[in-house]
Amino acid sequence: MLFWVLGFLILCGFLWTRKGKLKIADITDKYIFITGCDSGFGNLAARTFDKKGFHVIAACLTESGSTALKSETSERLRTVLLDVTDPENVKRTAQWVKNQVGEKGLWGLINNAGIPGVLAPTDWLTLEDYREPIEVNLFGLISVTLNMLPLVKKAQGRVINVSSVGGRLAIVGGGYTPSKYAVEGFNDSLRRDMKAFGVHVSCIEPGLFKTNLADPVKVTEKKLAIWEQLSPDIKQQYGEGYIEKSLDKLKGNKSYANMDLSLVVECMDHALTSLFPKTHYAVGKDAKIFWIPLSHMPAVLQDFLLLKRKTELANPKAV
């Protein structure tokens, strides 16, 4: 009996692996739209999918980003300037994309644009500090999705939302984590709503990657700017050496950062081309081994492990 059970489990494992490797038949007639292509994941995705033969429409925030991308890709790739927080810009872009794709519709929408905002303790921040990353990472993503969705439904295509392990676990203070938690919720409701239309929706959850988004110099500059505006009471609680100590911890975290951005693009590729795309893709060793498993653990264990990573305050009782 045990032999048959073992054989059945091996067969199931083989079929499950085989299922994930089945691909769509043709990609050369398919259009995909990617946001945030100036640098990082979006830039690499645009170049990679262009080489594979997709008709890539790459949205960049800056003219310089658009020009640089066009110089590295084929004539097939198109770029468009897009600020995802500008509703009129998004509407005009969606109409332009509709004219480009025609009756074929849009096979893939990759919502990749995002910013970290200010990463700092909660009591340092204002509502505006929270608003900026939420406008880009959440409302910008929703705006692009709603405007492009008719084209994706026409193609019975794919929507891929780039979230983060920060959407599963509150690692840092600031608007980044709330925005990514909300992206996860939007992604799940969208996935269920689109199932009847034959549209697959996937969520990509990268761990810590070395990109411009996580540049420690920029993170520190923003922290220093906010520190200068803090009240004397808060400065006394945290201590004058707090930022230097937190920077040392941040430098220590760099050793855990994933260097290979193609790991994220490979997940985008699977979500775009597999006959059976996954609903969630955890990317990076840190995400798979630490962050995602920890997100399923009791809060007391999460707090214990995450608080050990935080910088100690000089005098928290000075209130």
Side-chain angles (χ1 to χ4, degrees):
M1 181 65 180
L2 182 61
F3 173 80
W4 290 109
V5 171
L6 183 61
F8 176 74
L9 292 175
I10 292 173
L11 178 62
C12 287
F14 172 78
L15 292 176
W16 183 262
T17 303
R18 177 63 181 164
K19 172 185 171 185
K21 293 181 179 180
L22 297 175
K23 301 284 186 178
I24 58 176
D26 190 19
I27 63 173
T28 56
D29 64 340
K30 289 180 167 52
Y31 288 82
I32 60 174
F33 182 83
I34 312 171
T35 64
C37 292
D38 296 78
S39 62
F41 301 138
N43 184 275
L44 180 58
R47 290 185 282 116
T48 300
F49 295 134
D50 176 58
K51 288 179 182 178
K52 283 180 174 288
F54 279 105
H55 292 272
V56 177
I57 304 174
C60 297
L61 181 61
T62 65
E63 186 71 52
S64 59
S66 171
T67 301
L69 181 58
K70 283 191 286 189
S71 70
E72 298 177 19
T73 52
S74 74
E75 294 181 357
R76 186 176 53 250
L77 180 139
R78 304 289 183 90
T79 63
V80 60
L81 296 181
L82 177 64
D83 178 354
V84 298
T85 65
D86 182 343
E88 291 304 315
N89 190 186
V90 173
K91 287 180 182 178
R92 289 194 303 270
T93 300
Q95 183 58 51
W96 179 79
V97 171
K98 182 179 180 180
N99 295 336
Q100 296 293 313
V101 303
E103 290 303 310
K104 291 184 181 297
L106 188 64
W107 174 256
L109 167 61
I110 303 179
N111 284 310
N112 168 75
I115 61 171
V118 180
L119 306 178
T122 303
D123 51 347
W124 292 21
L125 304 175
T126 66
L127 185 60
E128 289 306 311
D129 293 322
Y130 279 86
R131 194 184 304 279
E132 184 187 21
I134 290 174
E135 286 287 349
V136 176
N137 301 348
L138 176 61
F139 290 123
L141 180 148
I142 293 175
S143 177
V144 171
T145 301
L146 295 180
N147 280 277
M148 297 291 180
L149 208 50
L151 302 177
V152 181
K153 288 164 71 176
K154 180 185 283 288
Q156 293 189 309
R158 312 287 171 85
V159 178
I160 301 166
N161 296 312
V162 180
S163 179
S164 165
V165 291
R168 299 286 295 272
L169 201 62
I171 302 168
V172 293
Y176 182 77
T177 291
S179 73
K180 292 301 185 179
Y181 264 79
V183 165
E184 296 273 347
F186 174 73
N187 180 86
D188 288 351
S189 61
L190 179 67
R191 184 181 69 250
R192 292 168 189 134
D193 289 342
M194 290 298 104
K195 196 168 184 64
F197 298 98
V199 173
H200 291 280
V201 179
S202 299
C203 188
I204 296 181
E205 299 163 336
L208 304 179
F209 277 81
K210 189 177 181 181
T211 66
N212 289 340
L213 195 72
D215 185 345
V217 175
K218 293 180 180 178
V219 170
T220 304
E221 286 175 352
K222 289 182 178 181
K223 270 189 177 181
L224 285 170
I226 289 184
W227 175 265
E228 296 301 322
Q229 305 299 319
L230 293 178
S231 69
D233 286 347
I234 292 181
K235 286 184 177 180
Q236 183 182 358
Q237 292 159 17
Y238 282 83
E240 289 295 335
Y242 179 84
I243 288 186
E244 288 75 13
K245 292 176 183 176
S246 63
L247 180 58
D248 288 339
K249 292 228 174 200
L250 190 63
K251 289 178 179 177
N253 290 341
K254 287 175 66 177
S255 61
Y256 300 105
N258 300 281
M259 306 296 288
D260 186 2
L261 305 190
S262 69
L263 295 174
V264 174
V265 177
E266 286 171 7
C267 290
M268 293 177 180
D269 183 35
H270 188 272
L272 277 176
T273 63
S274 173
L275 288 178
F276 302 97
K278 298 177 182 179
T279 58
H280 292 82
Y281 295 83
V283 196
K285 288 183 179 179
D286 60 323
K288 295 176 180 178
I289 296 174
F290 184 71
W291 300 116
I292 299 300
L294 183 59
S295 72
H296 296 288
M297 299 295 177
V300 64
L301 180 58
Q302 294 177 6
D303 291 352
F304 174 74
L305 292 175
L306 293 179
L307 286 171
K308 285 187 68 175
R309 299 167 60 89
K310 282 187 173 291
T311 303
E312 188 176 349
L313 276 60
N315 188 9
K317 293 183 179 180
V319 294

